């Protein structure tokens, strides 16, 4: 029995068998102003906690804003376009990664933190939540407002919550509120050397 969401089934088809959670995860902008239970939020963070990490360094950190007051602290560093929709999201999360260890520069901090974000997003989908990662914000201002130390790189800002109807979005965004396609395997995977078709 298919567990694909209706809007996903109309826009996405897997070329090979995969768990449907991979298709159901997409990045809507419409959120309900409905609180995410603490246990559900912590389950999402728990999944991220178990991401693979070089030397088990676990460079990822999540700065979570759940209350209205906390979210309003984030608003000044978010650009106008993203603020127009993400202010309704009940949770905002700034993802940062530690760039240095006691042995010096930790070169895979961004790669490892991306893995944690992926597990975060998948668990959110399993929990019936939606996520939307953003880069449209002032990183320097975010660092200053939230007190992020210089040894941490700012990676992304994520809106988390329950998906709302596209009709709740400002004009101009509604037609974009659909799951996006992906490039075929032939364009992203090569065999033996770059550009050589995978057989």
């Amino acid at each position: 029995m298919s567990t694909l969401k209706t809007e996903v089934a109309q826009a996405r088809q897997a070329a090979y068998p995969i768990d449907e959670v991979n298709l159901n995860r997409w990045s809507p902008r419409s959120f309900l102003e409905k609180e995410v239970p603490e246990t559900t939020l912590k389950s999402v963070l728990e999944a991220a906690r178990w991401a693979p990490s070089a030397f088990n360094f676990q460079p990822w950190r999540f700065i979570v804003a759940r209350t209205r007051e906390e979210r309003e602290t984030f608003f000044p560093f978010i650009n106008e376009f993203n603020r127009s929709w993400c202010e309704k999201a009940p949770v905002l999360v700034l993802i940062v990664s530690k760039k240095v260890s006691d042995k010096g520069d930790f070169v895979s901090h961004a790669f490892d933190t991306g893995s944690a974000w992926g597990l975060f997003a998948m668990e959110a989908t399993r929990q019936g939540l939606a996520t939307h990662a953003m880069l449209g914000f002032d990183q320097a201002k975010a660092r200053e407002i939230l007190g992020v130390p210089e040894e941490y790189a700012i990676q992304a800002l994520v809106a988390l919550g329950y998906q709302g109807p596209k009709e709740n979005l400002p004009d101009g965004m509604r037609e974009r509120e659909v799951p996006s396609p992906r490039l075929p395997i032939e364009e992203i995977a090569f065999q033996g050397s770059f550009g050589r078709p995978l057989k």
Side-chain angles (χ1 to χ4, degrees), residues 5 7-8 21 24-32 34-37 40-41 44 85-86 88-93 117 120-134 157-165 177 179:
K5 297 175 183 176
E7 71 268 29
V8 171
V21 71
N24 280 331
R25 189 231 55 83
W26 64 288
S27 303
R29 291 186 173 91
S30 181
F31 287 90
L32 298 176
K34 175 183 174 184
E35 184 177 345
V36 175
T40 303
L41 174 60
V44 172
W85 59 265
C86 81
K88 288 190 176 181
V91 181
L92 295 173
V93 182
W117 148 245
F120 178 109
M122 291 302 180
E123 186 59 32
T125 301
R126 277 189 283 271
Q127 295 282 344
L129 298 167
T131 56
H132 192 115
M134 299 167 263
L157 176 65
V158 176
L160 172 73
Y162 296 97
Q163 185 179 350
E177 189 73 348

Side-chain angles (χ1 to χ4, degrees), residues 7-23:
E7 71 268 29
V8 171
Q10 294 170 353
R12 294 179 164 184
Q13 296 83 37
Y16 299 93
I18 58 173
D19 192 305
E20 289 179 341
V21 71
N22 294 285
L23 299 174

Side-chain angles (χ1 to χ4, degrees), residues 48-61 98 106 108-109 111-113 115-116 119:
R49 187 168 79 94
W50 292 99
S53 174
F55 306 105
N56 198 30
F57 184 57
Q58 304 168 59
W60 47 80
R61 301 292 184 271
K98 192 169 186 182
F106 189 71
S108 71
H109 68 93
F111 180 81
D112 291 2
T113 301
S115 178
L119 294 183

